[in-house]
Structures are given as C-alpha cells and as structure tokens.
Amino acid sequence: MTTKTTTIGILGAGQLARMLALAGLPLGLRFVVLDPAPDACAAVVSTHVVGGYGDRETLSRFAGMVDVVTYEFENVPAESVNYLAERVPVYPSPRALAASRDRFAEKSLFVELGIPTPKFIAVDGLDGLRAAVSEIGLPAVLKTRTLGYDGKGQSVIKRDDDIEGAWARAGGAPCVLETFVPFTREISVVVVRGRGGETRFYPIGENTHSGGILRHTVCCLDDPAQSAAEGLASRLLEHFGYVGVLALELFEVDGKLMANEMAPRVHNTGHWSIEGAQTSQFENHVRAVAGLPLGGTGAVCRSAMVNFIGTIPDAAEVLSVDGAHLHDYGKAPRPGRKLGHATVCGDSEGAVEAGLNELLRLTRNC
Ligand SMILES: Nc1ncnc2c1ncn2[C@@H]1O[C@H](COP(=O)(O)OP(=O)(O)O)[C@@H](O)[C@H]1O
Ligand SMILES: [Mg+2]
C-alpha cells in the first residue's frame, strides 16, 4: 500500500533539527527547516527555507510545504507559531511553547501545578531588584525572562554590591530573581508522549554544567529519583495534552526535587539516547509528531555524553576512545558554541566512567 510521505517542518535548523532529520529520514519522513542563517547545520539533511521567523511570506511558504510543524528552540515569536497553527498542526502545542519562552510564566505554571521550584519574583527595574533581593535573600540568581540559553542572560548575586552590575548586565530586560539553590546534583527527565496519549520516560540524566553550559550527562539506571521526576513531568504532559518530547531540568536538594526549567523539545541532556536507548529522543519526537507508534525508551547499555563547546577534537582522537560515538554538527567554531558531542557506551559503570574521563580530557586538550 502506498501512503503519502509525511513532511515535518522544523522551526530552527541547528543541531537539534539536524539530529531530528537524521532520525526521521529512515522512517520515510521528509524535513523542511526554517532558519534565517544560510549556513544552518540542518540544511544538509533537509530542505532549507531561508527567512525570518517573523516574516509572513516566509511562514506562509513554509506552511505550504509541510504536513506538521515542530520546533527546536523556544524563542520563536508567539504570533508566528499561532499563524502556523492556523494552517497546519503544530506539536508540541503552542501553549507549551508560550509557557517555556518566558521564565516567569514557566515558574508560575510550576507553582500552579504543584511542582516545587525555587522561590522567584518578577523584576522590572533596579528598585524592584533591590526589593526582590530583600524578599528572597542572597545568594540569588537574576535571569532575563526571555531569550536566555546556555546560561546567557544570567548573573549570580552574592552580595548587595553585585546588584547594580547584575541589573546592568540584564540590559534593562524584564527579569526574574530566584533563590540560588545549593543543589547536590542536577538531573533531567526526558519524556515522550504520542498523539494518543501514550507516554514513555527515558532514564534520568545526571548533568554537569559550568558557566551555565551543559558539559556532560551521565545516564542513570535505576536511580532513586526516577519515579519522582516522572511524576513531576507527568503533570506538565497532562496540563498541555502534550505531543512530542519534553525535558524537565531539576535540582536535587536533600533528596528532594525542584524544577529549574522545562524545554518543549528534544534536549541536550537526552543526546545519549541516540546510542544508549532502544529508540532515541529524536526518533521518538518525530514518531510522536507524525502520529506514529512510539519506540521503547529503555537503556541498551550504560552511557554518558560529553559536549564539545567552542572547539572540537579530531575525529580520530574521539573515536580512539573505547565505546565512543562522535556527532560533529558541522558548525563553524566560535567561543561558547556547541559544535558536537560524543557518547560513550559500555557494559559497566566503570567502563563508561573511564571513557567519560578520556573524553573530558580531550575537551581540555583541544
Ligand atoms: N537558582 C539556581 N541555583 C543554582 N544554580 C542555578 C540556578 N539557576 C540556574 N543555575 C545553574 O545555571 C544553569 C543554567 O541555568 P538555566 O536556568 O537552566 O538556564 P538556561 O536556559 O541557560 O539553561 C543551570 O543548569 C544551573 O547549573
Ligand atoms: Mg537549563
């Protein structure tokens, strides 16, 4: 029987879109990506529409080329997503996108759904920031409400003397001030929900950040925090009638979980799943969006993932690490830019730890 090919449109054509297309092509899916950057790295595996996210003519052309729309980042203008949603199905729902693109809306939703989160206050000016600091106490973190990623738009305020500098760095943008959490570890749960409501959870990842950027993730099997993390993510899935992959970043403090942020998309802390799970987060996202049955999310090995940021080691060096798999995104090097990652797989914790340490050494050498 011949069925029509499903074409998935992706807003954004960075590495996440590239890995979505790489996962979906073998299923017979086709991809159209929209991104203003002519050299966007997903273009090699898809049809690239070059244009602005806010440009109606571009959006209309894009909508005409696809059966369904998804996105790889949160900062798509809400009006553009709504415009597209009037023409083609958009998954995950624009409501999930709207909640996650504004940190104040996101944290307010956590509170509404009974998901513990650090204390936070909206801040619109220097006086407001001073008042928020006296309310919340120090240390605290000032974050711009929108457009932040990889730690951008954030400042830690340790002393009263830091207040003015932090406000200046925010550049007058609306912010939230939140308690600095002395977490014991950072974890994330990645979950996928199909169009019919079928839900599957990946094993949680334990994440190490530095300078606000994810450096590495270790996939944790049979972790004691797994079921609590799943319970919190489920509240979001139900609230949105969610379709696709969702990631929830959590702080663990004294054995309890607090939500940091959610991402209504495939997530850097789930990259290990390409080799480490029965079905990768990328394949499951496109399966969900295309209305196909979901695949298993169980681990097929122990694994850990290392990001290559700013520079990327030679392929031969990475591949000489036992059990390592390289993903070079084909992006031009720039300080702080995610250029690729490697996942190391093994059959014991010790083997993965050894591989992880070798990969981390490579990131320091290059
Ligand atoms: N309230 C906080 N307390 C302690 N560390 C924090 C806090 N907020 C953020 N961080 C650190 O900064 C990282 C990036 O912050 P996050 O809010 O996740 O922003 P981004 O959107 O840039 O990922 C977090 O993963 C964590 O390591
Ligand atoms: Mg984050």
Side-chain angles (χ1 to χ4, degrees), residues 99-303:
S100 64
R101 67 191 296 279
D102 177 348
R103 292 188 195 278
F104 185 73
E106 177 179 63
K107 287 165 198 293
S108 302
L109 178 66
F110 291 155
V111 172
E112 182 191 325
L113 299 179
I115 298 173
T117 194
K119 198 168 172 195
F120 65 97
I121 295 179
V123 167
D124 289 317
L126 188 53
D127 289 343
L129 177 56
R130 290 192 207 284
V133 166
S134 11
E135 173 82 22
I136 281 193
L138 294 179
V141 189
L142 185 69
K143 302 180 178 181
T144 55
R145 281 172 63 157
T146 60
L147 302 174
Y149 67 98
D150 288 346
K152 291 185 175 59
Q154 297 193 17
S155 300
V156 177
I157 301 178
K158 293 186 181 143
R159 293 174 297 272
D160 283 344
D161 287 352
D162 300 336
I163 293 178
E164 274 185 36
W167 181 248
R169 271 191 297 282
C175 287
V176 289
L177 183 77
E178 65 184 54
T179 308
F180 182 90
V181 180
F183 53 79
T184 36
R185 58 176 186 153
E186 283 195 88
I187 63 170
S188 54
V189 61
V190 175
V191 51
V192 60
R193 187 170 181 276
R195 284 202 202 169
E198 180 194 359
T199 300
R200 295 185 183 222
F201 298 90
Y202 285 92
I204 63 169
E206 184 172 327
N207 308 318
T208 301
H209 293 81
S210 122
I213 307 189
L214 179 71
R215 304 296 159 155
H216 66 269
T217 293
V218 177
C219 166
C220 301
L221 304 186
D222 305 318
D223 193 277
Q226 180 78 34
S227 71
E230 290 183 6
L232 297 180
S234 297
R235 295 185 201 181
L236 293 163
L237 297 176
E238 279 155 33
H239 174 76
F240 292 120
Y242 198 87
V243 174
V245 165
L246 172 113
L248 180 61
E249 297 180 13
L250 299 152
F251 298 130
E252 189 178 72
V253 210
D254 301 328
K256 296 211 172 57
L257 299 180
M258 298 178 111
N260 173 30
E261 62 171 352
M262 58 173 262
R265 55 170 169 80
V266 286
H267 198 249
N268 197 172
T269 65
H271 288 4
W272 62 268
S273 65
I274 297 177
E275 290 87 11
Q278 290 161 324
T279 315
S280 77
Q281 62 164 346
F282 300 99
E283 182 173 337
N284 260 336
H285 185 72
V286 297
R287 286 192 192 203
V289 164
L292 294 167
L294 302 183
T297 46
V300 293
C301 57
R302 291 196 173 267
S303 65

Side-chain angles (χ1 to χ4, degrees), residues 78-94:
E79 316 79 64
S80 303
V81 177
N82 295 338
Y83 177 85
L84 289 170
E86 285 164 15
R87 286 154 181 83
V88 271
V90 175
Y91 299 119
S93 113

